[in-house]
Amino acid sequence: MEIEVLRLGHRLPRDERISTHVALVARAFGARSITYSGQHDAGLEESVKKICETWGGPFKIKYNPDWRNLIKNFRGIKVHLTVYGEPLQNIIDNLRETPRDVLIILGGPKVPSEVYQLADFNISITLQPHSEVSALSIFLHEFFRGKELMKTFENAKVRVIPQPRGKKTLFLNNAPD
Amino acid sequence: MEIEVLRLGHRLPRDERISTHVALVARAFGARSITYSGQHDAGLEESVKKICETWGGPFKIKYNPDWRNLIKNFRGIKVHLTVYGEPLQNIIDNLRETPRDVLIILGGPKVPSEVYQLADFNISITLQPHSEVSALSIFLHEFFRGKELMKTFENAKVRVIPQPRGKKTLFLNNAPD
């Protein structure tokens, strides 16, 4: 079972940082990849690749403007996170048990109504407006029951050594100068 | 017991949307207020106030450039969320029991080292880089044990009626035209 994230309608320069944060949450909380549609953004891809090189793991970022076909052709469960959907807590227990891959679709205020139809589940987290970034993190945190908090990443060049005060990082083999 | 959020070092235009998302997460996940330092941003305040007027609740946004004195004078527990801190899962059980107010401090890559000393707890969520937005949401979600997902807000002009497909909102008394 693998999780992929689809970020719809990326706009430049407006979404640069939000989409970067969405991608970093996808990686840190256990998704395998993120695909974004909308405007192509080499800077976004570069930022995410740099994080992956330094912090490790097999996470990938991809661009695909044809989100409709991506959703249609996805073999697995399609979950759309939206303020208008059904409450997470009513659905997550069933979803967790799936052996199938999961596609998490993240939009914004102007998601085409077609997305609501193409998704197997439209899920809301709190029924209040907040953020794609927080919605994705809470979904993955609940999906993995918090196990993602202990996740480690292979081939990392740097690792944080947790401290009650201050910063401590360990530079591993192939560390940058 | 109340929760307040302090967002350090807001920069224009770079942080406009991230700080807005941080504020909306603070509100939706049960904090009482957010204070931000750094550059004053009337647009940020306006966005957050509009959301509160439409979606209800007593949440407030405030500006205070003197973050140092705000932290020093806060009567309660000061929690700094940082990738370098101790894992959330080691600390949250003790924190939840507190009858005292809690200040959640959110920085960014360039947090002054003083903040690590002024905080009672420096807490990390995953030991990986991701986002202030997700860090705050996961902290509050764990702090409230998911009860914030069912939170309702008084004096809302609009309320979402959860749907398996599509969008449905209810406009209440004093609804906008």
Side-chain angles (χ1 to χ4, degrees):
Chain A
M1 201 285 303
E2 296 281 0
I3 291 193
E4 301 190 16
V5 174
L6 171 62
R7 160 63 154 160
L8 297 173
H10 178 72
R11 297 159 298 177
L12 280 169
R14 182 178 163 85
D15 293 328
E16 280 174 342
R17 290 190 70 220
I18 295 288
S19 293
T20 304
H21 286 217
V22 165
L24 298 187
V25 165
R27 174 188 168 276
F29 287 76
R32 178 173 60 180
S33 68
I34 188 168
T35 302
Y36 69 102
S37 67
Q39 289 182 263
H40 185 254
D41 184 348
L44 167 66
E45 295 180 16
E46 196 53 43
S47 301
V48 174
K49 283 177 189 163
K50 266 191 188 164
I51 292 279
C52 295
E53 277 170 25
T54 306
W55 294 83
F59 187 78
K60 296 275 177 255
I61 181 165
K62 296 175 263 189
Y63 175 64
N64 185 347
D66 188 1
W67 55 267
R68 188 176 288 106
N69 272 317
L70 191 155
I71 299 176
K72 283 184 180 168
N73 296 332
F74 184 79
R75 294 172 172 274
I77 298 177
K78 302 155 194 180
V79 173
H80 174 216
L81 301 184
T82 160
V83 71
Y84 301 101
E86 296 183 282
L88 175 72
Q89 59 273 26
N90 298 358
I91 293 179
I92 192 73
D93 285 339
N94 286 335
L95 266 183
R96 273 196 207 102
E97 309 305 327
T98 186
R100 303 176 71 196
D101 289 349
V102 176
L103 179 69
I104 304 172
I105 307 162
L106 296 168
K110 291 178 188 165
V111 173
S113 62
E114 197 181 345
V115 173
Y116 291 82
Q117 305 304 324
L118 289 170
D120 298 306
F121 297 96
N122 292 281
I123 294 183
S124 171
I125 288 159
T126 76
L127 302 179
Q128 295 291 319
H130 47 100
S131 172
E132 307 90 297
V133 184
S134 42
L136 179 61
S137 69
I138 297 289
F139 181 87
L140 291 171
H141 181 65
E142 281 293 321
F143 189 87
F144 290 122
R145 294 184 191 271
K147 284 184 191 153
E148 85 292 344
L149 296 177
M150 278 84 83
K151 194 171 162 62
T152 55
F153 290 81
E154 288 186 6
N155 302 317
K157 291 179 180 167
V158 63
R159 188 181 301 153
V160 166
I161 310 298
Q163 301 289 311
R165 304 232 177 278
K167 304 179 185 187
K168 191 169 181 179
T169 45
L170 189 65
F171 291 92
L172 307 167
N173 291 343
N174 309 317
D177 294 327
Chain B
M1 198 287 302
E2 296 281 1
I3 292 193
E4 301 189 16
V5 174
L6 171 61
R7 160 67 154 157
L8 297 174
H10 178 71
R11 297 158 296 177
L12 279 168
R14 182 177 164 84
D15 293 328
E16 279 173 343
R17 290 190 71 221
I18 295 288
S19 292
T20 303
H21 287 216
V22 165
L24 298 187
V25 165
R27 174 189 169 277
F29 286 77
R32 177 172 61 181
S33 68
I34 188 166
T35 303
Y36 70 101
S37 66
Q39 288 182 265
H40 185 257
D41 183 348
L44 167 66
E45 295 181 17
E46 198 52 45
S47 302
V48 174
K49 282 176 189 163
K50 267 192 188 161
I51 292 278
C52 295
E53 277 169 25
T54 305
W55 293 84
F59 187 78
K60 295 276 177 258
I61 181 163
K62 297 174 263 188
Y63 176 64
N64 186 348
D66 188 0
W67 56 266
R68 189 176 287 106
N69 272 316
L70 190 155
I71 299 175
K72 282 184 179 168
N73 296 332
F74 183 80
R75 294 172 170 275
I77 298 178
K78 302 156 195 176
V79 173
H80 174 217
L81 300 185
T82 161
V83 70
Y84 301 102
E86 297 182 281
L88 174 73
Q89 59 272 29
N90 298 358
I91 292 179
I92 192 71
D93 285 339
N94 286 334
L95 266 183
R96 275 196 206 102
E97 309 304 328
T98 185
R100 304 176 71 196
D101 288 348
V102 176
L103 179 69
I104 303 173
I105 306 162
L106 297 167
K110 289 177 186 165
V111 173
S113 61
E114 200 181 342
V115 174
Y116 291 82
Q117 304 303 321
L118 290 170
D120 298 307
F121 297 95
N122 293 282
I123 293 182
S124 172
I125 288 159
T126 75
L127 303 178
Q128 295 292 318
H130 47 102
S131 171
E132 308 89 299
V133 184
S134 42
L136 179 60
S137 69
I138 297 289
F139 181 87
L140 291 171
H141 180 67
E142 281 293 320
F143 189 86
F144 290 121
R145 295 183 190 272
K147 285 185 190 150
E148 84 293 343
L149 295 178
M150 279 83 83
K151 194 170 162 63
T152 55
F153 290 81
E154 289 185 6
N155 302 316
K157 292 179 181 168
V158 63
R159 189 182 300 153
V160 167
I161 311 297
Q163 300 291 309
R165 304 235 177 276
K167 305 178 183 186
K168 190 168 181 181
T169 46
L170 189 67
F171 290 92
L172 308 167
N173 292 340
N174 309 313
D177 293 326

